[in-house]
Amino acid sequence: MSFSEKAPVSIQNKLDLFGREPARFAVRAVMAGVFLGIMTAFAAATATLTEAYAPGWGKYPFAVIFAVTLYIIVVLQGELATGDMMFMTYGAIHRLNNVSRGLLLILTVTLFNLVGAVFISWLISMTTTGQAAETSLPFLADLFEAKLAKPSFTLFIEAILANMVVNIGFMLTAQAGKDHAAKIWAVAIVIPAFAAMGYEHSIANFVLTTLAGFMFDPASIDGFTIGNVLRNWTIVWLGNLVGGGLIMGGVYGWLNRTRTNYRD
């Protein structure tokens, strides 16, 4: 199935559930945050162990494990705000929805992704690993500290790139149809690129913030203040909107309005 065939179906499903059964739509967004939290903690634990034997190499297993999250979200049909940025922009160009409704949907998903991130981070903080995070998960604290130290312009550019990569993954999995093996190969090939390069994903940063907040003393992480966290969240979300929405959704929305059969 091509993306031009799959996208309208996905967009209509999202809009129908959002409009007719908002509670179920919200829970799907919560579950995406939960899946992301589970896999981020696992990836950070694996990266920490890798760093002990191969300093500087921890980001690579972190990126590979983190990539599986998108596969889980796609197969279990969670709602991820950064993916919906592309779908809602694509839908607006093809007149399947209007801009205001699309933006409201994205903001709603963002909120409930955060709810899911907070919930799962609190649960993980209650585990044996979570309670010994200073020794079991220092990679996570170091990663989050590095993100908080980035200047705003860098955050914005890296957020654009991150959501371009994420939505390349969404497009590839859409074209894989019901072939789940193809779906996992699609995310395994492209998603590690943004995680290993340290690019910025707003929902992943929700997870990193809440995991760090529950498991570490904020005073031990440089830059961990409410103001700096909100700066990070806001700039990264806007950059993701540009990368996933305006670039991926906008460009491919325009390309697929062709009167020829040359569609993705």
Side-chain angles (χ1 to χ4, degrees), residues 164-187:
M164 289 177 65
V165 172
V166 167
N167 282 292
I168 290 170
F170 272 113
M171 291 183 69
L172 293 176
T173 57
Q175 298 194 55
K178 297 293 185 180
D179 188 338
H180 293 306
K183 287 180 186 290
I184 198 165
W185 274 110
V187 299

Side-chain angles (χ1 to χ4, degrees), residues 9 54 85-86 146 172 176 205 212 230 234 241 243 247 264:
V9 176
M85 290 172 179
M86 176 183 69
L172 293 176
N205 286 2
L230 291 178
T234 302
L241 184 61
I247 296 178
D264 298 278

